[in-house]
Amino acid sequence: MLTRRSMMLASIAAGVTMTSSNASSRASQPSTAVNFDVPPGACDCHTHIHGDPEKFPFFAGRVYTPEQASPEEMSALHKALHVERVVIVTPSVYGPDNSATLFGMMARGATARGVAVIDDSTSESDLDSMYKAGFRGIRLNLATGGVNDPNVGRQRFSAAIERMKARGWHVQLFTSLAMIAAIKDLVAAAPVPVVFDHFGGAQAALGTGQPGFADLLDLVKSGKAYVKISGAYRASKLAPDYPDAAPLAQALIAANAERIVWGTDWPHPDSVTPPGRKVTDVTPLYQIDDGRLLNQLPAWAPDAAIRRTILVDNPARLYGFT
């Protein structure tokens, strides 16, 4: 029997396009103009699409329910930011169903790449179809799911590496510095690229001396791991410019600029259900000014050539943009 996922994959292989109607969406748009020259080919390496739940139902085991965020809104965001390319990541609310991500990728065409969530039911033919559609990696979300046991983290990471090593896809992790320290040896030995989301889970208020940050820097220095300097609001509480995230970004860039990529984390979901609410209640998206976030990059990387490395060259290599 055809699954919903296999039907979506088949539609992509056949070149079928889809339309979207997300009149109820409230995803944020930049209110601050970009104040530096963004190089051609720049990439936002961390975004999500939240489709109409009647067309893209949420995963029953999710821990929150976000508002909608459409491909059209994403395109408006990137037009305002002068960003040409995008990486769309399947969020935890869909489990291993990548249909909404595929929907967003179809809307963007050749300027989009995807990062999927898979499970044991994801077949090799599914992965073949995903590659043709533009997927280049898989994501392990250990943070939203609350995985803190190093033994569980090591097992899941090892299984992901084993699955991806023949394909050369990267493995992306949303996790904590404590978990990174616990799997450091596995990352160092991994035969595929490893990518850590959102400053590797570092907390800006704790500075560069916080436990585990040196392990992250070692992996970046050695070239064994990429880090997304993305979602600064997840690392810092000092809105709207998150100045205490700057030392983290600067340390990571100084360690190895060729292993750093940038992203918005648009549409900025609050990845927990507020106290007193049900998981099925819609949790509003954060209203983040991504223009202000992007304008922090020159302070983090004053050299224009290094900014080009972060925004253009590294994503092109990691995600296969040409």
Side-chain angles (χ1 to χ4, degrees):
M1 185 176 80
L2 280 176
T3 64
R4 185 172 167 278
R5 177 172 59 197
S6 63
M7 290 174 66
M8 175 65 81
L9 290 166
S11 75
I12 287 176
V16 175
T17 59
M18 301 176 66
T19 59
S20 169
S21 58
N22 278 333
S24 63
S25 290
R26 298 181 178 86
S28 62
Q29 290 293 328
S31 56
T32 302
V34 178
N35 61 13
F36 68 99
D37 290 333
V38 178
C43 185
D44 179 352
C45 292
H46 198 99
T47 67
H48 309 289
I49 291 293
H50 303 152
D52 180 344
E54 292 187 2
K55 297 178 181 177
F56 303 99
F58 293 119
F59 174 52
R62 67 192 182 279
V63 298
Y64 69 101
T65 298
E67 293 179 299
Q68 294 180 51
S70 71
E72 292 84 357
E73 290 175 295
M74 180 184 287
S75 293
L77 165 86
H78 291 139
K79 182 177 181 180
L81 297 179
H82 312 295
V83 169
E84 297 176 13
R85 295 168 174 169
V86 64
V87 177
I88 305 175
V89 180
T90 297
S92 65
V93 294
Y94 289 115
D97 184 349
N98 298 283
S99 301
T101 298
L102 291 164
F103 172 57
M105 293 166 66
M106 284 193 295
R108 288 292 284 262
T111 62
R113 295 290 185 269
V115 177
V117 174
I118 68 172
D119 63 11
D120 291 343
S121 70
T122 307
S123 68
E124 293 304 309
S125 63
D126 282 341
L127 293 174
D128 290 341
S129 296
M130 288 179 182
Y131 182 85
K132 291 176 183 177
F135 281 92
R136 294 297 180 268
I138 62 169
R139 187 192 201 199
L140 294 182
N141 188 333
L142 304 180
T144 303
V147 176
N148 298 310
D149 184 339
N151 292 323
V152 174
R154 289 177 69 87
Q155 180 182 23
R156 290 186 60 185
F157 179 73
S158 296
I161 292 294
E162 186 66 24
R163 191 81 191 270
M164 290 298 108
K165 67 181 183 181
R167 292 179 176 272
W169 290 19
H170 69 268
V171 174
Q172 175 181 319
L173 292 98
F174 183 23
T175 190
S176 65
L177 288 176
M179 185 64 75
I180 291 172
I183 64 171
K184 182 180 178 182
D185 60 318
L186 299 180
V187 176
V192 298
V194 177
V195 184
F196 293 112
D197 290 351
H198 310 324
F199 296 86
Q203 295 303 299
L206 301 179
T208 58
Q210 63 191 283
F213 194 68
D215 295 299
L216 180 63
L217 289 178
D218 285 345
L219 291 168
V220 172
K221 286 178 185 177
S222 68
K224 295 303 299 184
Y226 288 79
V227 176
K228 296 185 180 185
I229 49 174
S230 58
Y233 64 96
R234 295 191 180 279
S236 168
K237 295 179 173 60
L238 301 182
D241 293 322
Y242 313 101
D244 55 345
L248 301 179
Q250 290 162 349
L252 289 163
I253 293 166
N256 187 351
E258 293 188 355
R259 290 297 180 268
I260 307 300
V261 296
W262 176 87
T264 57
D265 193 31
W266 186 92
H268 311 299
D270 185 353
S271 54
V272 297
T273 297
R277 303 289 300 278
K278 296 182 295 184
V279 168
T280 52
D281 292 337
V282 175
T283 299
L285 299 167
Y286 287 122
Q287 294 299 305
I288 302 292
D289 183 353
D290 287 303
R292 292 186 79 133
L293 280 183
L294 182 54
N295 284 343
Q296 305 311 305
L297 189 57
W300 299 350
D303 187 289
I306 291 179
R307 291 199 297 273
R308 177 182 172 81
T309 296
I310 293 168
L311 290 171
V312 182
D313 299 338
N314 294 346
R317 177 176 61 250
L318 182 59
Y319 300 104
F321 288 108
T322 57

